[in-house]
Amino acid sequence: MASTTSFAEAVKARRTYYALTNESTIPDSRIQEIVKDAILHTPSAFNSQTSRAVVLLGEEHVKTWDIIAEVYKQQLPEEKFNRANERFKGFRAAYGTILFYEDTDNVREFQDKFKTYEDKFPGWSEQTNGMHQYHIWTALEAEGLGVNLQHYNPLIDVRLETEYNVPSTWSLKAQMVLGKPTSGPAVENKEFKPVEDRMKVYGAK
């Protein structure tokens, strides 16, 4: 069942949650539906559709964070790894992870097709990936899940490519962790810079 939360309410309510359990407030099929809808309907420059996602739930989610911990254990001094591993354990304890990618072959295709904007497409690609992340993050939290976004790439890229048969032309951008929250968001009372300093309006009636 789709959430009854309005879009505006969901946008205002979206926050970062770190304390997550390995439970979900919605069926796996609904998580897949949310990601599918984002992939199909999130806009991209020239309708280039460069964004990709890998959804990892249950044991596959756990395995992913075991892999990430293993990679970082090989790269970091013991003391730094031990601190990082506490964070990894927290992410591992959640329900699922969504890996966000951009297809670099797809980006190059549009660079070749529209030479006038060749230098713009990499930036536009990053923008559309961010929109996919925001779309999915907001939709998941509207369903009662908690979400946080991580960036442990590029060290983990090759291992995850191998494990999940990800094409080498897909460039990893972020790892979204999701689960049932056990407490409030990381920042309860978010501070906002004055809107007047960040927004200009001309010609309004």
Short mmCIF file of all heavy atoms in Angstrom, two decimals, residues 53-114:
data_model
loop_
_atom_site.label_atom_id
_atom_site.label_comp_id
_atom_site.label_asym_id
_atom_site.label_seq_id
_atom_site.Cartn_x
_atom_site.Cartn_y
_atom_site.Cartn_z
N ALA A 53 20.87 1.26 -9.93
CA ALA A 53 20.77 0.92 -8.51
C ALA A 53 20.86 -0.59 -8.32
O ALA A 53 20.40 -1.37 -9.16
CB ALA A 53 19.47 1.44 -7.92
N VAL A 54 21.46 -1.00 -7.20
CA VAL A 54 21.51 -2.39 -6.79
C VAL A 54 20.90 -2.46 -5.39
O VAL A 54 21.38 -1.80 -4.46
CB VAL A 54 22.95 -2.94 -6.76
CG1 VAL A 54 22.98 -4.37 -6.23
CG2 VAL A 54 23.57 -2.86 -8.15
N VAL A 55 19.82 -3.24 -5.24
CA VAL A 55 19.11 -3.34 -3.97
C VAL A 55 19.57 -4.61 -3.25
O VAL A 55 19.47 -5.71 -3.80
CB VAL A 55 17.59 -3.37 -4.20
CG1 VAL A 55 16.85 -3.46 -2.87
CG2 VAL A 55 17.14 -2.14 -4.99
N LEU A 56 20.03 -4.44 -2.02
CA LEU A 56 20.56 -5.55 -1.24
C LEU A 56 19.80 -5.65 0.07
O LEU A 56 19.83 -4.72 0.89
CB LEU A 56 22.05 -5.33 -0.96
CG LEU A 56 22.92 -5.12 -2.20
CD1 LEU A 56 24.25 -4.50 -1.84
CD2 LEU A 56 23.12 -6.44 -2.95
N LEU A 57 19.10 -6.76 0.28
CA LEU A 57 18.27 -6.93 1.47
C LEU A 57 18.66 -8.18 2.24
O LEU A 57 19.25 -9.11 1.68
CB LEU A 57 16.79 -7.02 1.06
CG LEU A 57 16.25 -5.82 0.25
CD1 LEU A 57 14.83 -6.11 -0.23
CD2 LEU A 57 16.30 -4.54 1.06
N GLY A 58 18.35 -8.18 3.53
CA GLY A 58 18.60 -9.37 4.34
C GLY A 58 20.06 -9.76 4.38
O GLY A 58 20.94 -8.96 4.67
N GLU A 59 20.32 -11.03 4.07
CA GLU A 59 21.68 -11.56 4.15
C GLU A 59 22.63 -10.90 3.14
O GLU A 59 23.83 -10.78 3.40
CB GLU A 59 21.67 -13.08 3.95
CG GLU A 59 21.07 -13.85 5.11
CD GLU A 59 21.75 -13.54 6.43
OE1 GLU A 59 23.00 -13.53 6.47
OE2 GLU A 59 21.05 -13.27 7.42
N GLU A 60 22.10 -10.47 2.01
CA GLU A 60 22.95 -9.80 1.03
C GLU A 60 23.41 -8.43 1.56
O GLU A 60 24.55 -8.01 1.32
CB GLU A 60 22.22 -9.63 -0.30
CG GLU A 60 21.91 -10.93 -1.00
CD GLU A 60 23.16 -11.74 -1.36
OE1 GLU A 60 24.21 -11.13 -1.59
OE2 GLU A 60 23.06 -12.98 -1.39
N HIS A 61 22.54 -7.77 2.30
CA HIS A 61 22.92 -6.52 2.95
C HIS A 61 24.03 -6.77 3.97
O HIS A 61 25.03 -6.04 4.01
CB HIS A 61 21.69 -5.91 3.64
CG HIS A 61 22.02 -5.01 4.78
ND1 HIS A 61 22.40 -3.70 4.62
CD2 HIS A 61 22.04 -5.25 6.12
CE1 HIS A 61 22.63 -3.15 5.80
NE2 HIS A 61 22.42 -4.07 6.73
N VAL A 62 23.86 -7.79 4.80
CA VAL A 62 24.88 -8.13 5.81
C VAL A 62 26.21 -8.44 5.14
O VAL A 62 27.27 -7.96 5.56
CB VAL A 62 24.41 -9.33 6.66
CG1 VAL A 62 25.53 -9.82 7.56
CG2 VAL A 62 23.19 -8.95 7.49
N LYS A 63 26.16 -9.23 4.07
CA LYS A 63 27.37 -9.59 3.35
C LYS A 63 28.08 -8.36 2.79
O LYS A 63 29.32 -8.28 2.82
CB LYS A 63 27.03 -10.56 2.21
CG LYS A 63 28.24 -11.02 1.40
CD LYS A 63 27.90 -12.21 0.53
CE LYS A 63 26.87 -11.90 -0.51
NZ LYS A 63 26.62 -13.06 -1.43
N THR A 64 27.31 -7.41 2.31
CA THR A 64 27.90 -6.19 1.75
C THR A 64 28.74 -5.45 2.80
O THR A 64 29.87 -5.03 2.52
CB THR A 64 26.79 -5.26 1.23
OG1 THR A 64 26.15 -5.89 0.12
CG2 THR A 64 27.36 -3.91 0.78
N TRP A 65 28.21 -5.32 4.01
CA TRP A 65 28.96 -4.60 5.05
C TRP A 65 30.11 -5.42 5.60
O TRP A 65 31.11 -4.87 6.07
CB TRP A 65 28.02 -4.08 6.12
CG TRP A 65 27.25 -2.93 5.54
CD1 TRP A 65 25.99 -2.94 5.02
CD2 TRP A 65 27.75 -1.62 5.29
NE1 TRP A 65 25.66 -1.73 4.50
CE2 TRP A 65 26.73 -0.89 4.65
CE3 TRP A 65 28.96 -0.98 5.58
CZ2 TRP A 65 26.89 0.45 4.28
CZ3 TRP A 65 29.13 0.34 5.20
CH2 TRP A 65 28.11 1.05 4.56
N ASP A 66 30.02 -6.75 5.51
CA ASP A 66 31.18 -7.60 5.83
C ASP A 66 32.30 -7.36 4.82
O ASP A 66 33.48 -7.27 5.18
CB ASP A 66 30.79 -9.08 5.83
CG ASP A 66 29.97 -9.47 7.05
OD1 ASP A 66 30.00 -8.73 8.05
OD2 ASP A 66 29.31 -10.53 7.01
N ILE A 67 31.92 -7.24 3.56
CA ILE A 67 32.90 -6.97 2.50
C ILE A 67 33.55 -5.60 2.71
O ILE A 67 34.77 -5.46 2.62
CB ILE A 67 32.23 -7.04 1.11
CG1 ILE A 67 31.86 -8.49 0.76
CG2 ILE A 67 33.14 -6.45 0.03
CD1 ILE A 67 31.02 -8.62 -0.50
N ILE A 68 32.73 -4.60 2.99
CA ILE A 68 33.27 -3.26 3.20
C ILE A 68 34.23 -3.23 4.38
O ILE A 68 35.32 -2.64 4.30
CB ILE A 68 32.11 -2.25 3.39
CG1 ILE A 68 31.32 -2.12 2.08
CG2 ILE A 68 32.64 -0.88 3.85
CD1 ILE A 68 30.05 -1.30 2.19
N ALA A 69 33.85 -3.89 5.47
CA ALA A 69 34.74 -3.95 6.64
C ALA A 69 36.05 -4.65 6.29
O ALA A 69 37.14 -4.22 6.71
CB ALA A 69 34.04 -4.66 7.79
N GLU A 70 35.96 -5.73 5.53
CA GLU A 70 37.17 -6.47 5.13
C GLU A 70 38.10 -5.61 4.30
O GLU A 70 39.33 -5.61 4.51
CB GLU A 70 36.76 -7.72 4.35
CG GLU A 70 37.92 -8.59 3.92
CD GLU A 70 37.46 -9.79 3.10
OE1 GLU A 70 36.32 -10.24 3.30
OE2 GLU A 70 38.25 -10.26 2.25
N VAL A 71 37.54 -4.87 3.35
CA VAL A 71 38.35 -3.99 2.50
C VAL A 71 39.05 -2.93 3.34
O VAL A 71 40.25 -2.68 3.18
CB VAL A 71 37.47 -3.33 1.42
CG1 VAL A 71 38.24 -2.23 0.70
CG2 VAL A 71 36.98 -4.37 0.42
N TYR A 72 38.32 -2.31 4.23
CA TYR A 72 38.91 -1.23 5.04
C TYR A 72 39.90 -1.77 6.06
O TYR A 72 40.86 -1.06 6.42
CB TYR A 72 37.81 -0.41 5.71
CG TYR A 72 37.38 0.75 4.84
CD1 TYR A 72 36.51 0.55 3.77
CD2 TYR A 72 37.88 2.02 5.04
CE1 TYR A 72 36.15 1.59 2.94
CE2 TYR A 72 37.52 3.08 4.22
CZ TYR A 72 36.66 2.85 3.17
OH TYR A 72 36.32 3.90 2.34
N LYS A 73 39.72 -2.99 6.52
CA LYS A 73 40.69 -3.58 7.45
C LYS A 73 42.05 -3.74 6.79
O LYS A 73 43.10 -3.60 7.44
CB LYS A 73 40.18 -4.94 7.93
CG LYS A 73 41.05 -5.56 9.02
CD LYS A 73 40.43 -6.84 9.56
CE LYS A 73 41.26 -7.39 10.72
NZ LYS A 73 40.65 -8.63 11.28
N GLN A 74 42.03 -3.99 5.49
CA GLN A 74 43.28 -4.14 4.74
C GLN A 74 43.94 -2.79 4.44
O GLN A 74 45.13 -2.74 4.14
CB GLN A 74 43.01 -4.88 3.43
CG GLN A 74 42.54 -6.31 3.62
CD GLN A 74 42.05 -6.94 2.32
OE1 GLN A 74 41.96 -6.29 1.29
NE2 GLN A 74 41.72 -8.22 2.38
N GLN A 75 43.17 -1.72 4.53
CA GLN A 75 43.66 -0.40 4.12
C GLN A 75 44.03 0.52 5.27
O GLN A 75 44.86 1.42 5.11
CB GLN A 75 42.58 0.31 3.26
CG GLN A 75 42.24 -0.40 1.96
CD GLN A 75 43.36 -0.33 0.94
OE1 GLN A 75 44.15 0.60 0.93
NE2 GLN A 75 43.45 -1.35 0.10
N LEU A 76 43.44 0.30 6.45
CA LEU A 76 43.62 1.23 7.55
C LEU A 76 44.50 0.67 8.66
O LEU A 76 44.51 -0.55 8.88
CB LEU A 76 42.25 1.58 8.17
CG LEU A 76 41.25 2.34 7.30
CD1 LEU A 76 39.96 2.56 8.09
CD2 LEU A 76 41.81 3.66 6.82
N PRO A 77 45.23 1.52 9.37
CA PRO A 77 45.92 1.08 10.60
C PRO A 77 44.89 0.53 11.58
O PRO A 77 43.72 0.93 11.56
CB PRO A 77 46.57 2.37 11.13
CG PRO A 77 46.63 3.29 9.96
CD PRO A 77 45.45 2.95 9.09
N GLU A 78 45.33 -0.35 12.45
CA GLU A 78 44.40 -1.06 13.33
C GLU A 78 43.51 -0.11 14.14
O GLU A 78 42.30 -0.32 14.24
CB GLU A 78 45.18 -1.96 14.29
CG GLU A 78 44.26 -2.79 15.20
CD GLU A 78 45.05 -3.74 16.08
OE1 GLU A 78 46.29 -3.76 15.98
OE2 GLU A 78 44.41 -4.46 16.87
N GLU A 79 44.10 0.94 14.71
CA GLU A 79 43.32 1.85 15.55
C GLU A 79 42.23 2.55 14.75
O GLU A 79 41.09 2.65 15.20
CB GLU A 79 44.25 2.89 16.19
CG GLU A 79 43.53 3.82 17.15
CD GLU A 79 44.48 4.81 17.81
OE1 GLU A 79 45.71 4.62 17.72
OE2 GLU A 79 43.98 5.77 18.42
N LYS A 80 42.58 3.03 13.55
CA LYS A 80 41.58 3.70 12.71
C LYS A 80 40.51 2.72 12.24
O LYS A 80 39.33 3.06 12.18
CB LYS A 80 42.26 4.36 11.51
CG LYS A 80 43.05 5.61 11.86
CD LYS A 80 43.55 6.31 10.60
CE LYS A 80 44.24 7.61 10.95
NZ LYS A 80 44.72 8.33 9.73
N PHE A 81 40.94 1.51 11.91
CA PHE A 81 39.95 0.52 11.47
C PHE A 81 38.98 0.19 12.60
O PHE A 81 37.77 0.07 12.35
CB PHE A 81 40.61 -0.77 11.00
CG PHE A 81 39.60 -1.87 10.78
CD1 PHE A 81 38.75 -1.83 9.68
CD2 PHE A 81 39.47 -2.91 11.68
CE1 PHE A 81 37.79 -2.81 9.49
CE2 PHE A 81 38.51 -3.90 11.50
CZ PHE A 81 37.67 -3.85 10.40
N ASN A 82 39.47 0.05 13.81
CA ASN A 82 38.58 -0.29 14.93
C ASN A 82 37.49 0.77 15.10
O ASN A 82 36.33 0.44 15.39
CB ASN A 82 39.39 -0.45 16.21
CG ASN A 82 40.23 -1.72 16.20
OD1 ASN A 82 39.94 -2.66 15.46
ND2 ASN A 82 41.27 -1.75 17.02
N ARG A 83 37.86 2.03 14.93
CA ARG A 83 36.87 3.10 15.03
C ARG A 83 35.87 3.01 13.86
O ARG A 83 34.66 3.13 14.05
CB ARG A 83 37.55 4.47 15.04
CG ARG A 83 38.31 4.77 16.32
CD ARG A 83 38.56 6.27 16.45
NE ARG A 83 39.40 6.77 15.37
CZ ARG A 83 40.72 6.84 15.40
NH1 ARG A 83 41.38 6.41 16.48
NH2 ARG A 83 41.40 7.33 14.38
N ALA A 84 36.40 2.80 12.65
CA ALA A 84 35.54 2.69 11.48
C ALA A 84 34.62 1.47 11.59
O ALA A 84 33.45 1.52 11.18
CB ALA A 84 36.37 2.60 10.21
N ASN A 85 35.14 0.40 12.16
CA ASN A 85 34.37 -0.84 12.23
C ASN A 85 33.15 -0.71 13.13
O ASN A 85 32.15 -1.41 12.93
CB ASN A 85 35.26 -1.99 12.70
CG ASN A 85 34.66 -3.35 12.40
OD1 ASN A 85 34.05 -3.54 11.35
ND2 ASN A 85 34.83 -4.29 13.31
N GLU A 86 33.21 0.17 14.11
CA GLU A 86 32.03 0.41 14.94
C GLU A 86 30.90 0.99 14.09
O GLU A 86 29.73 0.64 14.28
CB GLU A 86 32.38 1.35 16.09
CG GLU A 86 33.29 0.73 17.14
CD GLU A 86 32.72 -0.57 17.71
OE1 GLU A 86 31.54 -0.56 18.15
OE2 GLU A 86 33.43 -1.58 17.70
N ARG A 87 31.25 1.86 13.15
CA ARG A 87 30.24 2.39 12.24
C ARG A 87 29.73 1.29 11.31
O ARG A 87 28.51 1.18 11.06
CB ARG A 87 30.81 3.55 11.43
CG ARG A 87 31.18 4.76 12.27
CD ARG A 87 31.43 5.99 11.43
NE ARG A 87 32.59 5.84 10.56
CZ ARG A 87 33.83 6.11 10.93
NH1 ARG A 87 34.08 6.55 12.16
NH2 ARG A 87 34.85 5.97 10.09
N PHE A 88 30.66 0.47 10.79
CA PHE A 88 30.26 -0.61 9.90
C PHE A 88 29.28 -1.56 10.59
O PHE A 88 28.31 -2.03 9.99
CB PHE A 88 31.48 -1.39 9.41
CG PHE A 88 32.46 -0.59 8.60
CD1 PHE A 88 33.80 -0.92 8.59
CD2 PHE A 88 32.04 0.50 7.85
CE1 PHE A 88 34.72 -0.18 7.84
CE2 PHE A 88 32.94 1.25 7.10
CZ PHE A 88 34.28 0.90 7.10
N LYS A 89 29.54 -1.85 11.87
CA LYS A 89 28.65 -2.75 12.62
C LYS A 89 27.24 -2.16 12.71
O LYS A 89 26.25 -2.88 12.63
CB LYS A 89 29.21 -2.99 14.01
CG LYS A 89 30.44 -3.88 14.06
CD LYS A 89 30.97 -4.00 15.48
CE LYS A 89 32.23 -4.85 15.55
NZ LYS A 89 32.78 -4.91 16.94
N GLY A 90 27.18 -0.85 12.88
CA GLY A 90 25.88 -0.20 12.94
C GLY A 90 25.13 -0.31 11.62
O GLY A 90 23.92 -0.59 11.59
N PHE A 91 25.83 -0.10 10.50
CA PHE A 91 25.19 -0.22 9.19
C PHE A 91 24.80 -1.68 8.92
O PHE A 91 23.72 -1.95 8.38
CB PHE A 91 26.13 0.28 8.09
CG PHE A 91 26.60 1.70 8.31
CD1 PHE A 91 27.92 2.06 8.04
CD2 PHE A 91 25.74 2.67 8.80
CE1 PHE A 91 28.36 3.36 8.24
CE2 PHE A 91 26.18 3.98 9.01
CZ PHE A 91 27.49 4.32 8.73
N ARG A 92 25.65 -2.60 9.32
CA ARG A 92 25.39 -4.02 9.12
C ARG A 92 24.14 -4.47 9.86
O ARG A 92 23.42 -5.37 9.41
CB ARG A 92 26.61 -4.82 9.60
CG ARG A 92 26.55 -6.33 9.36
CD ARG A 92 27.80 -6.98 9.95
NE ARG A 92 27.91 -8.38 9.61
CZ ARG A 92 27.31 -9.35 10.30
NH1 ARG A 92 26.54 -9.06 11.34
NH2 ARG A 92 27.48 -10.61 9.94
N ALA A 93 23.85 -3.83 10.99
CA ALA A 93 22.71 -4.22 11.82
C ALA A 93 21.37 -3.79 11.22
O ALA A 93 20.31 -4.17 11.74
CB ALA A 93 22.86 -3.63 13.21
N ALA A 94 21.40 -3.00 10.16
CA ALA A 94 20.17 -2.52 9.53
C ALA A 94 19.57 -3.60 8.61
O ALA A 94 20.03 -4.74 8.58
CB ALA A 94 20.45 -1.24 8.75
N TYR A 95 18.56 -3.21 7.84
CA TYR A 95 17.81 -4.18 7.04
C TYR A 95 18.29 -4.29 5.60
O TYR A 95 18.26 -5.38 5.00
CB TYR A 95 16.33 -3.80 7.03
CG TYR A 95 15.45 -4.82 6.34
CD1 TYR A 95 15.14 -6.03 6.98
CD2 TYR A 95 14.95 -4.60 5.06
CE1 TYR A 95 14.34 -6.98 6.34
CE2 TYR A 95 14.16 -5.54 4.43
CZ TYR A 95 13.86 -6.73 5.07
OH TYR A 95 13.09 -7.67 4.45
N GLY A 96 18.72 -3.19 5.02
CA GLY A 96 19.08 -3.24 3.61
C GLY A 96 20.00 -2.11 3.21
O GLY A 96 20.22 -1.15 3.95
N THR A 97 20.58 -2.26 2.03
CA THR A 97 21.44 -1.24 1.45
C THR A 97 21.11 -1.10 -0.03
O THR A 97 20.89 -2.11 -0.72
CB THR A 97 22.94 -1.61 1.59
OG1 THR A 97 23.27 -1.68 2.97
CG2 THR A 97 23.84 -0.58 0.91
N ILE A 98 21.07 0.12 -0.51
CA ILE A 98 20.90 0.39 -1.93
C ILE A 98 22.18 1.04 -2.44
O ILE A 98 22.62 2.06 -1.90
CB ILE A 98 19.69 1.30 -2.20
CG1 ILE A 98 18.42 0.66 -1.64
CG2 ILE A 98 19.55 1.56 -3.71
CD1 ILE A 98 17.22 1.60 -1.62
N LEU A 99 22.80 0.44 -3.44
CA LEU A 99 23.99 0.99 -4.06
C LEU A 99 23.57 1.84 -5.26
O LEU A 99 22.81 1.38 -6.11
CB LEU A 99 24.92 -0.13 -4.53
CG LEU A 99 25.32 -1.16 -3.49
CD1 LEU A 99 26.19 -2.25 -4.14
CD2 LEU A 99 26.05 -0.53 -2.32
N PHE A 100 24.07 3.06 -5.31
CA PHE A 100 23.75 3.97 -6.40
C PHE A 100 24.93 4.10 -7.35
O PHE A 100 26.06 4.36 -6.90
CB PHE A 100 23.38 5.36 -5.87
CG PHE A 100 22.05 5.38 -5.16
CD1 PHE A 100 21.97 5.08 -3.81
CD2 PHE A 100 20.89 5.68 -5.86
CE1 PHE A 100 20.75 5.09 -3.15
CE2 PHE A 100 19.66 5.69 -5.21
CZ PHE A 100 19.59 5.40 -3.85
N TYR A 101 24.67 3.95 -8.63
CA TYR A 101 25.70 4.00 -9.66
C TYR A 101 25.32 4.96 -10.77
O TYR A 101 24.14 5.27 -10.96
CB TYR A 101 25.90 2.62 -10.30
CG TYR A 101 26.52 1.56 -9.42
CD1 TYR A 101 25.75 0.77 -8.60
CD2 TYR A 101 27.90 1.34 -9.45
CE1 TYR A 101 26.32 -0.23 -7.81
CE2 TYR A 101 28.48 0.35 -8.67
CZ TYR A 101 27.69 -0.43 -7.85
OH TYR A 101 28.26 -1.40 -7.07
N GLU A 102 26.34 5.40 -11.53
CA GLU A 102 26.12 6.07 -12.81
C GLU A 102 26.82 5.24 -13.90
O GLU A 102 27.96 4.81 -13.71
CB GLU A 102 26.69 7.49 -12.80
CG GLU A 102 25.80 8.50 -12.09
CD GLU A 102 24.47 8.70 -12.80
OE1 GLU A 102 24.47 9.12 -13.97
OE2 GLU A 102 23.42 8.40 -12.17
N ASP A 103 26.12 5.04 -15.00
CA ASP A 103 26.66 4.26 -16.11
C ASP A 103 27.51 5.19 -16.99
O ASP A 103 26.98 6.01 -17.75
CB ASP A 103 25.51 3.65 -16.92
CG ASP A 103 26.00 2.68 -17.99
OD1 ASP A 103 27.17 2.78 -18.40
OD2 ASP A 103 25.19 1.84 -18.42
N THR A 104 28.82 5.06 -16.89
CA THR A 104 29.72 5.96 -17.60
C THR A 104 29.65 5.78 -19.11
O THR A 104 29.86 6.74 -19.87
CB THR A 104 31.17 5.79 -17.12
OG1 THR A 104 31.58 4.42 -17.31
CG2 THR A 104 31.30 6.14 -15.64
N ASP A 105 29.34 4.57 -19.58
CA ASP A 105 29.14 4.36 -21.02
C ASP A 105 27.94 5.16 -21.50
O ASP A 105 27.96 5.76 -22.59
CB ASP A 105 28.92 2.87 -21.31
CG ASP A 105 30.21 2.14 -21.62
OD1 ASP A 105 31.28 2.79 -21.64
OD2 ASP A 105 30.16 0.92 -21.85
N ASN A 106 26.89 5.16 -20.70
CA ASN A 106 25.68 5.90 -21.04
C ASN A 106 25.97 7.40 -21.07
O ASN A 106 25.49 8.13 -21.95
CB ASN A 106 24.59 5.59 -20.01
CG ASN A 106 23.19 5.90 -20.45
OD1 ASN A 106 22.22 5.53 -19.79
ND2 ASN A 106 23.03 6.61 -21.56
N VAL A 107 26.78 7.88 -20.12
CA VAL A 107 27.16 9.30 -20.09
C VAL A 107 27.95 9.65 -21.35
O VAL A 107 27.67 10.66 -22.02
CB VAL A 107 27.98 9.63 -18.83
CG1 VAL A 107 28.48 11.07 -18.88
CG2 VAL A 107 27.15 9.41 -17.56
N ARG A 108 28.92 8.81 -21.70
CA ARG A 108 29.75 9.06 -22.89
C ARG A 108 28.90 9.04 -24.17
O ARG A 108 29.16 9.81 -25.11
CB ARG A 108 30.89 8.05 -22.98
CG ARG A 108 32.07 8.38 -22.07
CD ARG A 108 33.27 7.53 -22.41
NE ARG A 108 33.05 6.14 -22.07
CZ ARG A 108 33.34 5.61 -20.87
NH1 ARG A 108 33.87 6.37 -19.92
NH2 ARG A 108 33.12 4.34 -20.62
N GLU A 109 27.91 8.19 -24.20
CA GLU A 109 27.00 8.12 -25.35
C GLU A 109 26.37 9.48 -25.61
O GLU A 109 26.29 9.94 -26.76
CB GLU A 109 25.93 7.06 -25.10
CG GLU A 109 24.85 7.00 -26.17
CD GLU A 109 23.68 6.12 -25.76
OE1 GLU A 109 23.82 5.33 -24.80
OE2 GLU A 109 22.61 6.26 -26.38
N PHE A 110 25.92 10.13 -24.56
CA PHE A 110 25.27 11.43 -24.72
C PHE A 110 26.27 12.55 -24.94
O PHE A 110 25.96 13.54 -25.61
CB PHE A 110 24.35 11.71 -23.53
CG PHE A 110 23.01 11.06 -23.68
CD1 PHE A 110 22.84 9.71 -23.40
CD2 PHE A 110 21.93 11.78 -24.15
CE1 PHE A 110 21.60 9.09 -23.56
CE2 PHE A 110 20.68 11.18 -24.33
CZ PHE A 110 20.52 9.83 -24.03
N GLN A 111 27.49 12.38 -24.41
CA GLN A 111 28.54 13.35 -24.72
C GLN A 111 28.85 13.34 -26.22
O GLN A 111 29.06 14.40 -26.84
CB GLN A 111 29.80 13.04 -23.92
CG GLN A 111 29.71 13.37 -22.45
CD GLN A 111 30.98 13.00 -21.71
OE1 GLN A 111 31.33 11.83 -21.59
NE2 GLN A 111 31.70 14.00 -21.22
N ASP A 112 28.90 12.15 -26.81
CA ASP A 112 29.18 12.02 -28.24
C ASP A 112 27.99 12.51 -29.08
O ASP A 112 28.17 13.06 -30.17
CB ASP A 112 29.47 10.56 -28.59
CG ASP A 112 30.78 10.06 -27.99
OD1 ASP A 112 31.63 10.92 -27.65
OD2 ASP A 112 30.96 8.84 -27.86
N LYS A 113 26.80 12.31 -28.57
CA LYS A 113 25.59 12.65 -29.31
C LYS A 113 25.34 14.15 -29.32
O LYS A 113 24.85 14.71 -30.30
CB LYS A 113 24.40 11.92 -28.68
CG LYS A 113 23.11 12.01 -29.48
CD LYS A 113 22.04 11.13 -28.84
CE LYS A 113 20.73 11.17 -29.62
NZ LYS A 113 19.69 10.31 -28.98
N PHE A 114 25.69 14.82 -28.22
CA PHE A 114 25.45 16.26 -28.08
C PHE A 114 26.76 16.96 -27.76
O PHE A 114 27.04 17.30 -26.61
CB PHE A 114 24.41 16.54 -27.00
CG PHE A 114 23.06 15.94 -27.27
CD1 PHE A 114 22.69 14.73 -26.69
CD2 PHE A 114 22.16 16.58 -28.11
CE1 PHE A 114 21.45 14.17 -26.93
CE2 PHE A 114 20.90 16.03 -28.36
CZ PHE A 114 20.55 14.82 -27.78
#
